[in-house]
Amino acid sequence: MPTPLERLLTALSHKEADRIPILPVLLQHGAKELNVDLEKYFTNGEMLAEGQTRLIEKYEYDAVIGVPHVVEDLLAFGQKLVYFPNGAPVLGGMAISRFHEIDKLVVKDPGDVPELRETLKAIELLAKRYKGTVPILGAGIAPFSLPSMFIGTEKWLQLLFDDEEMRKQYLIRFLEVSMEFCVKWMNRQLDAGADTVVLADGMASATILLRKQFQKWAMPLIKATIARINGPVVYEGVGSLGDFADLLPELGAAAAIFDRYDNLAEIKPVLAGKVTIVGNINNIALIDWTPEQIEEEVKKVCEAAKKGGGFILANQGPEIPYDVPDENIRAFVEAGKKWGKQ
Amino acid sequence: MPTISEINARFLHYIQSLDQQGADKLISNCLKAGLPPEQIITKIIMPAIDAIAEKQKNREVVVAQIYVMAKIAENEINKVLVEMPIKPRTKGTVIIGTPMGDYHGLGKKLVATFLRLADYQVMDLGLSVNHFDFVNMAIAFNAKIICVSALLLHTALGITEIRKELDSRGYNHIKIVVGGALFNFNPKLSNKYGADAMAPNALDAVRVVRELAGDF
Ligand code: B12
């Protein structure tokens, strides 16, 4: 039987293994396994690694993830996090409120942020355990989306679409700051032992942008960013990417994560042999679907995308919510094993 | 002078091509030509908004377009309003905000804009709003509807808190309308969190508010 890493590499080289790789994005359930609260879990590298270990041993899927959530990236921009008992933390506020403040924004080195150091520690520990047998994933927010988190989504859109004067003056600055941080942070994770990193780019998805806007603003930036990252990248739309599918091979990403509005059967021929498709089970519906419904959904996407390799079964979006019960995670993985046979 | 339906088509075209200047000129010309402001709003601007929102429903336009279009429409309406002798009768007050901890503001902004364009008085409480503030403001401003835009699951529990607070203070006639990615991906959640209704986009938000509250 191939190892999870072999399975993943086979999928990425657009060939068939014994079955497709299965990747439920479980960032929070490890805390349940360890019986600790999420804040403690998220900020402790040993716990993160231990949580990932217990989860993969319990369900037997195909990758571990060293990152607790991507909101932590903003700690490097001086932002504070507010933790919750049952979900990812949120920002305590924005880092800047006016465009010109970008010039004053001090961006810390990831190594100088305690929480980010713990993430690196988690990746190192996972690498010690799993390097060469189970793929280890890192993640971060892509440069086009980062500004929405340090100045707010509305202001960011205002800068992109509304305010030409300001755009001329500041857009490049925003993107530069974001790209420098992103490249550095992703490379640190790779150095720590990650095999691949996921770039979350919600603001660039087809949920938000027109195709021509994606081509004009987001694409050059993504390409340049990926070119500077020293390992394979999984590009995550967070939202929909279907309308941009034919553009994705240009990005240089090994794989892309789609959302549930994206029609994988249509996308498959466009990306076959070029970019591996990841997705796209409705993560929010996993909360109250029955195991039978989950099997039905998994079967559908497997049938749409598994043929010839180049497909990884995963949920849409950046995580499986905390409230998704264990039996539904089990149903997801088992259905993947059954319907993902190749 | 072109006919209303010609002007209509042209205005829609300007909005769709995100041409603020074109829209500006057209509406100014209408005002100069003596078209009644009331008519400019109801016969030219509103139908364009409806047309766009209809396209959003079918996923033919993306957020970036709607954002700019709504902005153009809002600018034009404001310009026309200045020309009107008395402020038009508004349909009543709606409170809107995101729950405590949720800083996704885009959906809220769009819904607030569309409600305003539909003549509702909208009190936008902003981002990360405490459930007490939602309820206090609704009572103080005699609102019949509280709109909550929620993109994160765990902070959406704030909706349940609003419901509890309304009930315990005897204001259960105030309705809660919700929206955001969560509810689009799993409409059942709206019930679970104690909302009275959900809508998948800004146009339907107006429809649902109208259905629940009438033109109060
Ligand atoms: C862009 C985005 C990001 C960006 C920027 C986020 C930001 N703060 O600005 C980035 C990549 C940084 C990001 C990060 C994260 N994200 Co995010 N993100 C998105 C995305 C793709 C789009 C959100 C958006 O702005 N949409 C545009 C607006 C206009 O659409 P809308 O809000 O849906 O509004 C429309 C309708 O819903 C409706 N509507 C909206 N409000 C209302 C209100 C009423 C009353 C009514 C009637 C209607 C209505 O009308 C609007 C107009 O049509 C969504 C997925 C999606 N498809 O929506 C995920 C999503 C919101 N993110 C999610 C998550 C999990 C996260 C993270 C926690 C990831 C992580 N694990 O680290 C972080 C944390 C973010 C935070 N704490 O703030 C989840 C939330 C679900 C959950 N588990 O709780 C989503 C749903 C993705 C998913 N499928 O899982 N994200």
Side-chain angles (χ1 to χ4, degrees):
Chain A
M1 208 168 65
T3 63
L5 183 65
E6 284 163 345
R7 225 172 252 136
L8 184 82
L9 292 174
T10 311
L12 290 176
S13 54
H14 301 269
K15 296 200 183 85
E16 294 189 357
D18 60 331
R19 61 164 170 80
I20 53 166
I22 301 168
L23 171 59
V25 183
L26 293 169
L27 305 178
Q28 299 160 11
H29 287 72
K32 290 189 189 174
E33 296 300 321
L34 300 179
N35 223 339
V36 292
D37 69 58
L38 273 179
E39 175 167 3
K40 211 163 169 189
Y41 178 72
F42 282 154
T43 53
N44 182 312
E46 275 162 33
M47 284 187 186
L48 287 170
E50 185 56 28
Q52 287 295 312
T53 304
R54 299 232 186 144
L55 288 169
I56 197 171
E57 282 173 0
K58 178 166 169 181
Y59 299 110
E60 300 184 323
Y61 48 85
D62 295 305
V64 289
I65 307 164
V67 174
H69 49 79
V70 293
V71 199
E72 66 172 0
D73 294 12
L74 280 307
L75 291 167
F77 293 78
Q79 275 157 279
K80 299 247 168 349
L81 299 187
V82 180
Y83 286 89
F84 284 82
N86 55 350
V90 303
L91 298 175
M94 292 297 142
I96 57 177
S97 55
R98 306 231 195 102
F99 298 128
H100 68 261
E101 290 168 336
I102 188 71
D103 289 322
K104 287 185 274 173
L105 192 67
V106 182
V107 186
K108 290 186 207 149
D109 186 275
D112 293 335
V113 180
E115 290 87 342
L116 301 188
R117 274 206 307 271
E118 292 299 318
T119 296
L120 293 175
K121 191 201 260 175
I123 294 174
E124 283 161 13
L125 289 169
L126 288 169
K128 249 188 220 150
R129 264 173 230 170
Y130 291 122
K131 195 74 185 174
T133 55
V134 177
I136 299 149
L137 271 57
I141 302 178
F144 188 80
S145 298
L146 258 178
S148 77
M149 299 287 276
F150 58 73
I151 194 161
T153 318
E154 220 186 303
K155 279 261 171 186
W156 180 226
L157 282 200
Q158 191 186 332
L159 189 68
L160 284 172
F161 304 121
D162 235 20
D163 207 326
E164 204 171 335
E165 252 337 283
M166 289 290 165
R167 180 157 67 240
K168 280 191 199 131
Q169 233 174 318
Y170 293 114
L171 185 65
I172 301 282
R173 267 303 276 143
F174 271 79
L175 296 179
E176 218 173 48
V177 166
S178 305
M179 176 155 138
E180 285 313 308
F181 173 76
C182 174
V183 168
K184 195 193 274 179
W185 178 220
M186 293 304 98
N187 282 336
R188 286 290 167 82
Q189 295 186 20
L190 290 164
D191 289 344
D195 293 304
T196 172
V197 289
V198 179
L199 278 189
D201 209 1
M203 295 304 292
S205 71
T207 304
I208 311 274
L209 292 189
L210 279 177
R211 192 179 160 89
K212 59 176 191 258
Q213 294 167 329
F214 180 75
Q215 286 172 299
K216 182 171 166 198
W217 281 313
M219 268 183 84
L221 188 71
I222 303 161
K223 274 199 234 178
T225 306
I226 291 178
R228 290 177 56 195
I229 293 176
N230 310 323
V233 169
V234 178
Y235 185 68
E236 180 189 2
V238 191
S240 161
L241 279 180
D243 291 346
F244 307 155
D246 58 312
L247 302 172
L248 297 178
E250 279 179 59
L251 299 182
I257 308 182
F258 291 85
D259 95 353
R260 68 124 183 161
Y261 291 115
D262 295 327
N263 183 335
L264 299 192
E266 281 172 15
I267 293 165
K268 180 77 180 182
V270 180
L271 294 181
K274 297 176 186 149
V275 178
T276 292
I277 294 171
V278 188
N280 63 344
I281 298 296
N282 185 337
N283 60 336
I284 309 293
L286 276 178
I287 297 173
D288 48 24
W289 269 341
T290 63
E292 292 73 31
Q293 277 172 305
I294 294 171
E295 178 169 351
E296 202 43 46
E297 296 292 323
V298 168
K299 182 180 168 203
K300 260 191 256 164
V301 301
C302 286
E303 280 170 357
K306 75 171 180 182
K307 204 159 177 289
F311 174 59
I312 298 168
L313 174 68
N315 50 284
Q316 71 161 3
E319 63 184 27
I320 289 188
Y322 188 79
D323 290 339
V324 172
D326 286 7
E327 59 167 344
N328 286 6
I329 298 169
R330 172 105 41 215
F332 174 92
V333 176
E334 290 310 316
K337 289 179 184 166
K338 179 165 164 196
W339 297 103
K341 279 206 193 82
Q342 287 174 316
Chain B
M1 183 77 198
T3 64
I4 285 274
S5 73
E6 280 162 355
I7 301 176
N8 231 319
R10 222 178 291 165
F11 186 69
L12 183 62
H13 168 78
Y14 287 136
I15 284 206
Q16 277 177 339
S17 45
L18 313 183
D19 182 352
Q20 170 83 63
Q21 276 169 350
D24 258 358
K25 218 157 147 198
L26 183 69
I27 297 299
S28 295
N29 285 343
C30 289
L31 285 168
K32 265 193 228 137
L35 224 69
E38 191 97 39
Q39 260 199 37
I40 298 180
I41 294 183
T42 55
K43 297 269 163 59
I44 298 168
I45 304 178
M46 290 314 291
I49 294 167
D50 286 348
I52 291 155
E54 198 56 41
K55 281 182 195 277
Q56 190 205 353
K57 231 159 108 178
N58 306 327
R59 296 173 64 81
E60 287 167 37
V61 290
V62 302
V63 169
Q65 279 170 301
I66 301 166
Y67 171 81
V68 179
M69 291 178 202
K71 200 119 183 179
I72 296 176
E74 203 178 10
N75 287 344
E76 297 312 318
I77 286 197
N78 287 339
K79 217 162 70 191
V80 176
L81 281 180
V82 178
E83 303 295 323
M84 286 168 73
I86 20 165
K87 230 184 151 304
R89 191 178 60 86
T90 69
K91 288 182 188 143
T93 306
V94 175
I95 304 288
I96 194 167
T98 70
M100 200 73 186
D102 194 336
Y103 288 89
H104 291 83
L106 211 48
K108 171 185 71 65
K109 161 95 184 161
L110 290 177
V111 172
T113 306
F114 274 74
L115 283 169
R116 282 197 186 106
L117 294 174
D119 229 10
Y120 286 92
Q121 186 104 42
V122 180
M123 281 288 285
D124 187 342
L125 303 186
L127 303 175
S128 191
V129 181
N130 184 308
H131 60 276
F132 294 117
D133 291 338
F134 270 114
V135 173
N136 288 338
M137 292 304 257
I139 294 171
F141 287 88
N142 205 9
K144 281 193 191 162
I145 305 273
I146 295 176
C147 283
V148 188
S149 177
L151 270 80
L152 293 173
L153 263 173
H154 44 297
T155 57
L157 288 174
I159 298 164
T160 316
E161 298 296 321
I162 297 173
R163 171 91 286 151
K164 278 194 214 145
E165 186 65 17
L166 285 173
D167 289 352
S168 76
R169 287 166 69 174
Y171 284 92
N172 45 16
H173 59 280
I174 298 179
K175 304 278 191 248
I176 304 175
V177 179
V178 296
L182 283 185
F183 304 105
N184 291 357
F185 288 135
N186 189 348
K188 273 192 222 153
L189 290 178
S190 115
N191 238 327
K192 183 167 157 189
Y193 288 129
D196 296 288
M198 73 78 76
N201 56 52
L203 177 69
D204 283 321
V206 175
R207 182 182 51 75
V208 165
V209 165
R210 204 175 271 150
E211 273 169 18
L212 273 181
D215 292 342
F216 61 95

